[in-house]
Amino acid sequence: MRRYGIDISAWQRNFDIEKARLDYGVEFVIIKAGGGDAGLYTDRYFKRNYTLCEQLGMPKGCYFFSKAMTMESAQKEVEYFLNIIK
């Protein structure tokens, strides 16, 4: 069974999730929580996108854009990601 989902982040700014669901049949959203590719950061639209999915009852998941090249930096990124989604 195929399902139709989208990936959203600050690059889409104030993306209309409800319109995507109603007009285009989007069934779930994968939300960028942050990354380590430009230093550790939280995506500035993460909280907005997560909260909106909650309000709409839209199934969601989160990801972290990693740039870790060592176990030490990977561990720091994991801890940062877990702190964001907590």
Side-chain angles (χ1 to χ4, degrees):
M1 176 173 146
R2 290 184 182 207
R3 297 191 63 196
Y4 180 50
I6 57 172
D7 167 354
I8 60 174
S9 69
W11 289 101
Q12 287 76 41
R13 301 186 186 248
N14 290 310
F15 187 81
D16 192 336
I17 297 168
E18 186 170 28
K19 181 175 177 58
R21 178 175 61 180
L22 297 174
D23 293 355
Y24 301 101
V26 170
E27 300 173 83
F28 66 93
V29 177
I30 304 298
I31 307 165
K32 182 176 184 179
D37 53 314
L40 297 175
Y41 64 91
T42 302
D43 186 275
R44 61 188 160 169
Y45 283 81
F46 172 70
K47 188 171 183 176
R48 176 234 182 237
N49 290 332
Y50 189 92
T51 300
L52 188 54
C53 284
E54 283 280 300
Q55 291 170 349
L56 296 171
M58 176 71 81
K60 67 209 161 300
C62 305
Y63 72 95
F64 188 86
F65 192 85
S66 176
K67 190 76 172 205
M69 298 300 285
T70 66
M71 288 301 291
E72 183 181 338
S73 59
Q75 183 64 36
K76 286 180 184 176
E77 288 187 5
V78 167
E79 289 171 8
Y80 193 86
F81 175 56
L82 292 174
N83 190 50
I84 294 171
I85 63 173
K86 156 165 51 160

